[in-house]
């Protein structure tokens, strides 16, 4: 098979400042050992997130020049709304400056003490916005999704039996049922079209709206096309429309599968809920036809939505992750399989069994990888999910390290460098030590907490 090359040419470049290992050791200590608080100029390859870190196309830059900055009724909003409705047939499109703003608006209306929100797996900002109002988020992922080595093709699926039982037990306190596609916290794993429809059916049978967190909808559609029986001959846009046809609303970060550096939206069908959301939007984000965004951002998103559903791009996107996973697997490094859509996930619990979960083995890998190669990535484990609403701490479901691949930003030589750094790290993995947290905020501690190494 021929190499799947990057389906684009590079027209502009951004220099990387090359650092030494000693410099990186000093920078990490100065940042209280938290890679989130490193300056990006001190990072060689930044895999902390794929959110807003991708490269925009020449057509998106051209769209930016068409952006209209009218406070109300901008034609940029009309193009933004039309591009969304071409893929997601919702009645009310409410722009926000990013996905967590859409979540904050939704949960400020639906949440509150005593409320419960089930999902396959809530990601960090979603859970933070739920808990900030006193509600609770609950994860009902299938058991296969909790096993990094399991080769189930749709490890992001929600457990339908658990959802049915959950709604029978908690139904009166459940404002909506949510589903994240792809399932970021579970290794970027997809949700099948069959599961999406089944979750919607159960939610509606209990009189509950069904809301999709759709940040990586195109990657999820690609997996459906590749892995789900009967979907191979359908187009990506058609599969996307099918996914959202059974939903009552969605939250979206356009910084993922819309190729934008900023932006998002909340989409709803319920006119009363939409009216409440718009009122909240005006208070916190802006007028309903710009929602905290410049007109140029709305146009960049509209153009990005036409590019993200391209088969050649999605084939290359997924193959990038597969390539890195195959090479890490050959080194004996445990990875989440099969390959997810937006990131490569290391199973730190399996790789570093000498470090207990509450000494944060995932973070140990992240810190060592930065020191060795200047690569920044994120822990998705007990640092991110271990602190409970009552203040207690318990090990997370999995101890993962996420290397999120920015869209259209790095090349195969960068991927090879990542693998080389892991080969060096593998030779010293038994000497890695855990960390403890010396200070943390009340919510979403992983962004700003301070660490010190143990031992």
């Amino acid at each position: 098979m021929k190499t799947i090359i990057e389906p684009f040419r590079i027209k502009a470049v951004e220099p990387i400042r090359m650092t030494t290992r000693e410099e990186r050791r000093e920078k990490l200590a100065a940042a209280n050992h938290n890679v989130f608080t490193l300056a990006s100029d001190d990072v060689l390859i930044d895999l902390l997130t794929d959110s807003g870190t991708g490269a925009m196309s020449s057509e998106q830059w051209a769209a930016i020049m068409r952006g209209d900055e009218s406070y109300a009724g901008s034609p940029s909003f009309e193009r933004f709304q039309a591009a969304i409705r071409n893929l997601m047939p919702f009645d009310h499109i409410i722009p926000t400056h990013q996905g967590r703003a859409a979540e904050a608006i939704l949960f400020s209306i639906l949440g509150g003490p005593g409320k419960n929100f089930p999902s396959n797996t809530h990601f960090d900002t979603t859970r933070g916005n739920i808990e900030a109002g006193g509600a609770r988020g609950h994860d009902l992922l299938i058991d296969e999704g909790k096993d990094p080595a399991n080769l189930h093709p749709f490890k992001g699926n929600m457990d339908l039996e658990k959802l049915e039982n959950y709604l029978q037990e908690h139904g009166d306190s459940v404002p909506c049922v949510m589903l994240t596609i792809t399932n970021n916290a579970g290794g970027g794993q997809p949700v099948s079209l069959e599961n999406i429809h089944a979750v919607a059916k159960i939610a509606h049978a209990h009189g509950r709206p069904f809301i999709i967190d759709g940040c990586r909808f195109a990657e999820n559609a690609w997996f459906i096309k590749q892995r789900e029986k009967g979907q191979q001959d359908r187009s990506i846009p058609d599969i996307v429309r099918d996914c959202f046809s059974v939903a009552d609303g969605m939250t979206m970060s356009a910084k993922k599968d819309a190729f934008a550096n900023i932006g998002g939206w909340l989409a709803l069908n319920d006119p009363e809920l939409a009216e409440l959301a718009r009122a909240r939007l005006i208070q916190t984000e802006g007028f309903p036809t710009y929602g905290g965004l410049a007109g140029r951002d709305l146009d960049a998103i509209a153009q990005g939505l036409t590019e993200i559903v391209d088969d050649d791009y999605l084939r290359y996107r997924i193959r990038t992750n597969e390539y890195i996973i195959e090479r890490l697997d050959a080194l004996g490094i445990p990875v989440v399989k099969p390959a997810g859509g937006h990131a490569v996930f290391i199973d730190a619990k399996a790789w570093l069994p000498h470090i207990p979960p509450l000494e944060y083995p995932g973070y140990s890998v992240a810190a060592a990888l930065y020191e060795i190669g200047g690569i920044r990535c994120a822990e998705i484990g007990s640092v991110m999910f271990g602190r409970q609403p009552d203040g207690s701490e318990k090990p997370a479901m999995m101890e993962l390290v996420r290397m999120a691949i920015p869209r259209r930003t790095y090349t195969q030589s960068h991927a090879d460098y990542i693998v080389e750094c892991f080969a060096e790290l593998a030779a010293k993995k038994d000497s890695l030590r855990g960390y403890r947290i010396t200070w943390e905020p009340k919510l979403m501690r992983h962004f700003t907490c301070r660490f010190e190494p143990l031992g």
Side-chain angles (χ1 to χ4, degrees), residues 16 18 40 44 67 122 139 166 195 228 292 295 299 338 346 357 396 408 438 440:
I16 295 172
M18 307 304 287
S40 63
L44 273 66
H122 291 293
D139 302 332
Y166 183 92
N195 192 253
E228 192 161 356
D299 268 303
I346 309 301
R408 304 187 296 203
T438 61
E440 62 183 88

Side-chain angles (χ1 to χ4, degrees), residues 49-90:
T49 180
D50 63 320
S51 180
T53 56
M56 291 201 299
S57 69
S58 57
E59 289 300 316
Q60 283 183 290
W61 285 110
I64 280 176
M65 296 304 295
R66 292 192 294 270
D68 178 86
E69 305 306 332
S70 300
Y71 182 87
S74 168
S76 294
F77 173 75
E78 297 299 327
R79 291 188 284 268
F80 168 84
Q81 180 174 253
I84 295 170
R85 284 182 174 161
N86 180 52
L87 295 171
M88 300 108 173
F90 294 109

Side-chain angles (χ1 to χ4, degrees), residues 42-364:
D42 297 325
V43 177
L44 273 66
I45 297 181
D46 204 341
L47 310 180
L48 188 67
T49 180
D50 63 320
S51 180
T53 56
M56 291 201 299
S57 69
S58 57
E59 289 300 316
Q60 283 183 290
W61 285 110
I64 280 176
M65 296 304 295
R66 292 192 294 270
D68 178 86
E69 305 306 332
S70 300
Y71 182 87
S74 168
S76 294
F77 173 75
E78 297 299 327
R79 291 188 284 268
F80 168 84
Q81 180 174 253
I84 295 170
R85 284 182 174 161
N86 180 52
L87 295 171
M88 300 108 173
F90 294 109
D91 294 336
H92 304 277
I93 310 297
I94 301 168
T96 59
H97 80 273
Q98 59 180 5
R100 69 190 62 176
E103 295 170 351
I105 290 171
L106 181 67
F107 297 127
S108 72
I109 299 168
L110 297 182
K115 300 295 181 65
N116 292 285
F117 292 88
S119 181
N120 48 352
T121 311
H122 291 293
F123 198 57
D124 59 345
T125 57
T126 315
R127 191 180 304 277
N129 274 308
I130 289 171
E131 293 177 353
R136 297 288 300 272
H138 298 269
D139 302 332
L140 306 178
L141 187 65
I142 60 171
D143 290 340
E144 293 89 339
K146 303 170 187 177
D147 178 1
N150 193 297
L151 294 177
H152 190 288
F154 292 102
K155 288 166 66 173
N157 282 357
M158 187 182 287
D159 189 310
L160 301 178
E161 183 178 353
K162 290 180 182 177
L163 176 62
E164 179 66 45
N165 293 337
Y166 183 92
L167 289 173
Q168 288 181 9
E169 181 179 355
H170 301 285
D172 291 342
S173 68
V174 177
C176 68
V177 173
M178 300 196 70
L179 192 68
T180 303
I181 60 172
T182 57
N183 187 33
N184 186 359
Q189 296 296 306
V191 180
S192 71
L193 184 62
E194 180 183 28
N195 192 253
I196 292 170
H197 280 244
V199 170
K201 184 176 180 180
I202 293 172
H204 293 154
H206 286 264
R208 298 291 176 259
F210 172 49
I211 307 293
I212 293 178
D213 174 349
C215 295
R216 298 173 179 88
F217 68 90
E219 294 170 6
N220 200 86
W222 176 260
F223 285 121
I224 289 172
K225 181 179 175 70
Q226 298 301 310
R227 298 178 183 176
E228 192 161 356
K229 184 178 179 180
Q231 303 299 320
Q232 284 68 37
D233 295 331
R234 299 182 71 187
S235 71
I236 295 297
D238 187 40
I239 294 172
V240 171
R241 295 181 192 113
D242 201 348
C243 290
F244 290 97
S245 67
V246 294
D248 301 290
M250 70 176 295
T251 58
M252 176 69 185
S253 170
K255 298 164 68 176
K256 282 87 169 175
D257 272 3
F259 282 131
N261 298 136
I262 198 68
W265 66 83
L266 172 63
L268 299 163
N269 285 332
D270 184 334
E272 294 182 5
L273 182 57
E275 187 60 34
L276 291 172
R278 286 194 186 96
R280 185 65 176 160
L281 181 86
I282 293 171
Q283 290 177 311
T284 60
E285 296 282 299
F287 194 74
T289 57
Y290 79 89
L293 291 170
R296 60 182 70 96
D297 299 319
L298 295 169
D299 268 303
I301 292 168
Q303 175 61 31
L305 287 172
T306 71
E307 298 175 5
I308 197 68
V309 291
D310 176 70
D311 280 45
D312 289 335
Y313 163 75
L314 289 168
R315 183 180 298 108
Y316 142 79
R317 171 73 169 163
I318 305 308
R319 180 57 194 150
T320 299
N321 293 338
E322 292 173 343
Y323 175 79
I324 297 172
I325 283 174
E326 289 165 2
R327 296 198 60 192
L328 293 179
D329 190 41
L331 291 172
I333 298 171
V335 291
V336 173
K337 301 177 185 177
H342 70 289
V344 172
F345 289 77
I346 309 301
D347 182 0
K349 182 188 291 186
W351 202 34
L352 304 180
H354 63 286
I355 300 179
L358 294 185
E359 292 181 9
Y360 315 129
Y363 195 78
S364 181

